[in-house]
Structure formats: C-alpha cells, structure tokens
C-alpha cells in the first residue's frame, strides 16, 4: 500500500493553513481603489413601490452611486434566470413570472432587493441607505405552504393563478387508485418538512473588478463552482462572451448548496463595477443571510402506502405542496420534483408509484437546494410511512423493513421511479446497525431511563441517496519544475477536504509523494470547465477523472522511460509503490519525478508527448450512485418539560470504496448534526404579515455541539459501486438525510404508549410537551 494512498485516514492537507489563519476568504481580499456596496432591502413582505426618493442619499458623504432597478432594466440586466424548465401535468410550461435583480414596481418578501448604495466606505454606504425614502402601498400577504394555492389567497404574482408555479407529476394516477382500492391495509401520513435557514459559517460576499483596458471582469467570490456563475453573468447581466469574465473562488467557509445560486448582490455588484470602472466589494452580514440567502425544505406532504395481506407494499402515493418563496431561484423547481422523486420509494420493492408536486409562491425568501436537496424530504416521507405502518400492522421497525427490502438477488434493480440501483446489501447493513446499537437490549435501557424520570425511545431510518449534478468532470495533472505535481479540478471545496482526498488518489496511482501534490481549483481562467460541487458529485465524477488522467500519465511515462532506458515501451513496467518506471526483469529504472524533469529538457518529442508527463482526462458518469445506510437513534424525553435529548446514535453506511475514512466520518457526523437540528431545534417562522420572526440566532434554533450525542458509533460496509472505475459513492449529504426520520421515529417511539403516533419537526420541548398533554 502506498503511504498516504486510498483507504487511509490521512490528515487533511489544508488544515494547517486554515487553522493558523493563513486561509484567504472573500472578505480577506481588498483591492486598490475599492468601493463598498450595501443593499437596501424591503421592510415589508408585499406591496407596490409608489416612489423611491434617493436625492438626499446621493448627497451623503462618500456616496459614489446608487443603483436602482430601472437603470438595470434599461440595460436589460434586471433579471435573475431560473435554470430549470419544467412541464406541468397538462403539458404546459411552469410559470415564469421573472425574478428582478432590484425591485422596480413591487416587493414580494421582507428582504427583497430595492437599491444598491455604493460609497467609499461601508459605513458611508449604510448611512446613505438610511436617507432613501420609499413610499409603499402595502398589500395582503400569503406565507402558508399548505393553503397558498387554495384560490382564496393573495397572489404573489398577478399573472400566476392560485400562486401555482408548477403542478408536476410522475407515475400513473389511475393505476395507483386501483392499487389502493385493492389493498388489504393503507397507511397514511401528513408531514411537514420544516423550512430551515442555511447559516454557512462564512456569509456570502464578492468583489467585482472591471478592467477597462482588457475589457474583462474578474469576480472574486465564495462559490461552489464558478462556471455556472460566469455563464449567468455573461448572458443575463453583462451580455458579453463568457471568456470576458473570470471567476476566482478563494477559500469557502461552508456552502451546503446555498452558494451555488445566482443572487441579486452578485449581479448588481458586477454590473456597477463595469459602469464605474472600479472594484466594488459587497460582503453580507448574518442579518443579510437570514433575509436573502436561499432557504431549504418547506414541504407539506400527504403520503400513503398500500399493503397486501402478507404486509408487502403494493403501492405508494405522495402529494406535496412545495414552498418556493416569492421567486424561482436558480434551481428551485428541481428540488421538490426530479430531485425528490428519485429516492421516494427508498430501498423498498414498491411496484406501483405516483407522485404529484405542486410548487407554490409565497411572500417569503426563495427556496432552493439545501444539503441533500430533495432527498432528505423524500426519505423523511418513506421512513415515516414505514414506521407508522409497522405500528399499525403490529410489526417491529426492523421486521417491516426486512420484509420489503429490495433483495440482493434483484440488484441491479429498477425502481418504480426509473432509478437503477446498481449495488446494495440493505439487510446486511441493517443487521449490522441493529447489532452495533444493541437493539435487543433496548427494553433494559428504557426501564433505566424511566427510573430517572425519562421516557426513552428508539427509532430507525434506512436511507438511500442519489448523487446528482453535472455528469462530466475533467482533471489536468502537471509536473512543475520544483517537483510539485499540480492537479486542476472543476469541483470546489467548501470544507470537505478535497485537497486531501484527491491527493490521495494521485499518490496511490502515481507514487508521487503526498506532500508534493497540490490541488488547483476555483479559477475559470486556469480551469477550462467544471461542474462545481453539489449533489455529492465531487468524488464520484472528479475522482474517476483524476484516476483517468493518472492512467494517461503512466502511459506517457512508459514511452518516455523507454526512450531514456533504451527499451521498448511494452517492456516498461510502472510501480506505484515507489513511483518508478523499470525495464521488466531488470534493475534499470527511473523515478517519475526525474522522468518529468528529463522530459522537459529532451527537445523534440512526438506530438502525443509534447507536454512530457502532463496529462488531462475527462470522465462522464453513466448513472447516479446510490449511497445508503441505516441510522438508529435513541432519545430521552423529559415528560415534565418536553425536552428531548439524543443519547445514542448508530450509523452504518455504504459509500462503496472509501478514499479517506476520517473525511467520510466527519462529513457524515456533520450532516447528522444538521439533521438533528432540523428534527429538534430549527424552524423558520414567518408572521401572518410576512415578517421573519426567526431572523437571528436569538430566535432561530441552530444545533450546537451538545445536541450531538457523545455515544455516537459509526461504521461503513463497502459495497462497491459498479458505475465508476473506483467503486465510489457520494457521502457528503447522507448524514442529514438519515438523521431527521431516525430521530422523529425515536421520539414517537418514546411517546407511543400514550397513543402518540405523529409529531411535526422540529420536536421542540414546547411541541413535545403539548403532544404529551393532549395525549394525557
């Protein structure tokens, strides 16, 4: 095994730089002559803009310019496009009411963007914004996901009937009705998947810098990949060729999907920089994040499972109202439709299926992908159904799942939603989770908790995830003069440890010293294309691309080594253990770094070797990967206060081949923390007049370290994926997919003897206490 190769918990390459304060985030960057931007946002949720008076603000000290929407409109630069086309059930196109960069005639949520103030300092821009007077005519507001499309609600967009952005379906509705008519038993639930605020550690921000001489825009910005952003800026805002825009992504302090999207602040900052010919910096504050970052989840779902007399599932029907907020965000319509439907059947053999998703507009912050992006919502539905059905049918939580699992013998298995599960050993993984959790002795722990005045419950979730995103990625490997090996990638790390995992692949494949390998990312001028990071795609697409580029290096190396060692290339062998090319059966050899040096001084080379060992390769995934696993949570509930604590947690995951076990564990536990947060503490609440009531950490229940149990046991069982040469499956979002249903199922188990069979997320102390009182 190569030192620092794959399947080793190598320490992260990037940690020393980051923890010693030498990382560089967007706000660490300042440019000569830089101006500062400040966004003035709507204080009301819905209303007409009768007038905007900026005269006094223009005269304020330090003010350079104030941008309004009408100026952007005149330059055809006042729209943020939605990238997801969608057909309704009747074949018509989804609604497309537009999303203005800056509101001109109407505001539609608290935080809607109205005016961009540019000044010599940020404080001057803020002070000037206080002098802008806006005359509003307030209108009625709709904020409720369940009732937004009922026909008697205020319209967010006058041309969108009943606030319905789309009405989408998959499956045969008539067939599913017949299936349920013939069922021996039907289990039905109505679920709320609560809205959450993303709250990345580093808020959004950017610096736009127009070079008039070169007619080129450079944007420095925390992103999850700059290529989509470059395309949107070029085509929707600046109307220039894409190559006239360069996006540089420095270190990124968390993203979770939210930093994939195209925001007003980015559009107007870039446009204004070109107008003024000076760099402009905009950095969001935490209050901005609550009011302007895309938010996640917010579904109300009605779901049913049909069973035959043998307790086998015969059909599934799901109908969802999905809140999209006031406007369609960049990928917003994708999440509750094509992203969610992929894994709605979970890991169960469900032969008949129907799903209907209605996207609704409300006077709230736009909603888009948040870690998991549709899959957590889907798995919450199927796993709550399975838990409810088990109780109704008198089966154990494990028993009903075991009975309905897709068997290993049926894999590859095509689900009723069209996905092909290429690998998976679901029963084996659940059995290991049961063993690790000591499921059999839970009754003893329940008795012990009761003696301390606590109710104890245990809950299970078996999740499956579908990775997503651009199916193609490219990797370029270069051998530098100073013995560094640089690897240019099209994904973007925001804390996952890409620099470590990718370097391990190269070290394993080429035998290059781990410390010599440097990952290059986040520059659209240096890297010609990239799909960015999202949907747990990074390792499943970028990893095989790096692997393929490494193979190309080896093939070139055999030809070059043959030249220097005076042997035919077919007689050259390569050993990754020591990074050497050798003539087979002899001791004549040359190291890969020495070979790279000598190739640079060789002079004329055949065309295929003109770049020495430098190589590039692309990889396109043939299909998604389907990571899966079993989560088991145990909770203790204080009956007097309703306070719920997760006291034990067990995870057994299948991510195929593991590159770095420590990175995977950390990714999963971080996701579990977010999932526990959604299950127990986090909730985004709007008042009836559209004011965000949970607009700061004083009111919003962010999960903390003490919400994660000390007794957390984590294991993996590797069932290699067959759809890529490395056998890997994505892992980045799995934790927050499995945790919410496991925790809620455990809460319900702890209260089941009171007759409680449902509780909505988040299961806060107040909500749990109320349920206990109602049951009592």
């Amino acid at each position: 095994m190569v030192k620092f190769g794959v399947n080793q918990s190598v320490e992260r390459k990037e940690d020393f730089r980051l923890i010693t304060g030498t990382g560089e985030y967007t706000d660490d960057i300042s440019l000569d002559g830089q101006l500062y931007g400040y966004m003035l946002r709507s204080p009301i949720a819905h209303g007409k803009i009768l007038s905007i008076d900026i005269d006094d603000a223009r005269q304020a000290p330090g003010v350079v310019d104030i941008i309004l929407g009408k100026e952007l409109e005149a330059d055809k630069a006042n729209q943020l496009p939605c990238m997801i086309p969608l057909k309704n059930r009747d074949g018509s196109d989804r609604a497309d009411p537009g999303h203005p960069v800056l509101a001109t005639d109407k505001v539609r949520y608290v935080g809607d963007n109205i005016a961009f103030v540019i000044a010599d300092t940020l404080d001057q821009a803020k002070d000037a914004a206080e002098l802008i007077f806006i005359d509003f005519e307030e209108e009625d507001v709709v904020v409720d996901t369940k009732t937004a499309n009922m026909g008697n609600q205020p319209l967010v967009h006058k041309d969108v009937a009943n606030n319905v952005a789309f009405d989408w379906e998959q499956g045969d509705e008539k067939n599913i009705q017949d299936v349920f008519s013939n069922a021996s038993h039907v289990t039905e639930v109505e679920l709320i998947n609560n809205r959450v605020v993303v709250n990345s550690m580093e808020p959004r921000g950017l610096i736009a810098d127009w070079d008039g001489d070169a007619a080129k825009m450079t944007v420095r910005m925390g992103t999850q990949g700059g290529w989509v952003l470059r395309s949107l800026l070029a085509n929707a805002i600046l109307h220039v060729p894409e190559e006239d825009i360069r996006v540089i992504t420095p270190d990124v302090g968390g993203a979770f999907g939210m930093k994939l999207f195209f925001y007003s602040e980015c559009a107007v900052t870039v446009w204004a920089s070109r107008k003024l010919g000076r760099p402009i910096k905009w950095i969001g504050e935490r209050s901005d994040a609550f009011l302007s970052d895309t938010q996640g989840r917010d579904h109300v779902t009605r779901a049913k499972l049909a069973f035959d007399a043998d307790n086998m599932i015969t059909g599934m029907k799901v109908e969802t109202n999905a809140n999209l907020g006031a406007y369609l965000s960049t990928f917003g319509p994708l999440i509750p439709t094509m992203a969610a439907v992929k894994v709605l059947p979970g890991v169960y053999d469900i032969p008949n299926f129907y799903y209907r998703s209605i996207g609704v507009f409300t006077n709230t912050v736009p909603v888009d992908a948040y870690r998991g992006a549709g899959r957590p919502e889907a798995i919450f539905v199927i796993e709550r159904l399975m838990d409810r059905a088990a109780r109704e049918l008198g089966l154990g939580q494990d028993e009903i799942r075991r009975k309905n699992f897709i068997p290993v013998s049926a894999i590859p298995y095509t689900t009723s939603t069209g996905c092909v599960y290429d690998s998976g050993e679901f029963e084996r993984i659940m059995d290991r989770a049961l063993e690790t959790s000591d499921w059999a002795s839970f009754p003893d722990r329940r008795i012990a908790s009761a003696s301390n005045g606590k109710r104890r419950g245990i809950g299970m979730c078996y999740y499956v995830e579908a990775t997503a995103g651009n199916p193609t990625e490219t990797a370029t490997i270069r051998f530098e003069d100073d013995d560094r090996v640089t690897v240019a990638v099209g994904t973007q790390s925001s804390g996952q440890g890409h620099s470590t995992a990718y370097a391990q692949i190269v070290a394993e494949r080429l035998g290059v010293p781990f410390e010599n390998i440097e990952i290059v990312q986040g520059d659209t001028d240096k890297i010609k294309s990239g799909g960015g990071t999202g949907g747990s795609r990074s390792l499943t697409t970028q990893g095989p691309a790096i692997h393929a580029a490494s193979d190309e290096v080896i093939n070139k190396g055999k030809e070059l080594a043959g030249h220097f060692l005076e042997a035919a290339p077919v007689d050259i062998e390569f050993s990754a253990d020591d990074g050497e090319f050798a003539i087979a059966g002899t001791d004549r050899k040359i190291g890969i770094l020495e070979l790279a040096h000598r190739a640079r001084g060789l002079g004329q080379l055949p065309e295929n070797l003109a770049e020495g060992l430098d190589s590039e390769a692309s990889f396109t995934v043939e299909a998604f990967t389907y990571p899966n696993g079993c989560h088991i949570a145990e909770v203790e509930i204080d009956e007097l206060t309703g306070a719920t604590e997760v006291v034990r947690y067990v995870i057994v995951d299948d991510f195929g081949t593991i590159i770095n076990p420590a990175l995977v564990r950390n990714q999963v536990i971080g996701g579990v923390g977010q999932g526990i947060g959604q299950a127990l503490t986090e909730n985004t609440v709007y008042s009836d007049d559209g004011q965000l009531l949970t607009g700061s950490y004083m009111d919003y229940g962010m999960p903390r370290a003490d919400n994660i149990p000390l007794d957390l046991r984590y294991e993996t069982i590797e069932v290699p994926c067959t759809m890529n040469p490395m056998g890997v499956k994505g892992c980045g979002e799995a934790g927050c997919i499995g945790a919410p249903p496991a925790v809620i199922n455990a809460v319900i188990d702890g209260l089941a003897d009171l007759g409680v069979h449902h509780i909505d997320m988040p299961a806060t102390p107040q909500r749990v206490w109320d349920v206990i009182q109602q049951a009592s």
Side-chain angles (χ1 to χ4, degrees), residues 401-482:
R401 288 171 170 82
R402 193 184 311 279
K403 196 172 192 62
N404 285 281
F405 275 148
I406 299 164
V408 174
S409 61
I411 292 176
Y413 175 90
T414 302
T415 72
S416 50
T417 64
C419 291
V420 180
Y421 295 172
D422 67 287
S423 58
E425 298 182 18
F426 311 132
E427 187 170 6
R428 174 188 172 199
I429 287 170
M430 184 184 72
D431 285 342
R432 180 58 186 160
L434 292 169
E435 180 183 354
T436 303
S437 68
D438 198 8
W439 183 281
S441 66
F442 171 75
D444 296 334
R445 297 193 293 279
R446 172 172 272 167
I447 292 170
S449 292
S451 68
N452 293 318
K454 302 288 181 69
R455 289 182 161 273
R456 196 176 187 107
I458 191 167
M460 174 187 293
C461 166
Y462 202 111
Y463 78 91
V464 63
E465 217 250 282
T467 55
N470 191 321
T472 301
E473 206 55 79
T474 299
T476 303
I477 299 176
R478 293 183 56 86
F479 289 77
E480 310 294 348
D481 291 340
D482 57 3

Side-chain angles (χ1 to χ4, degrees), residues 714-725:
Y714 179 72
E715 298 181 20
T716 59
I717 292 176
E718 297 188 18
V719 183
C721 175
T722 64
M723 303 309 294
N724 63 70

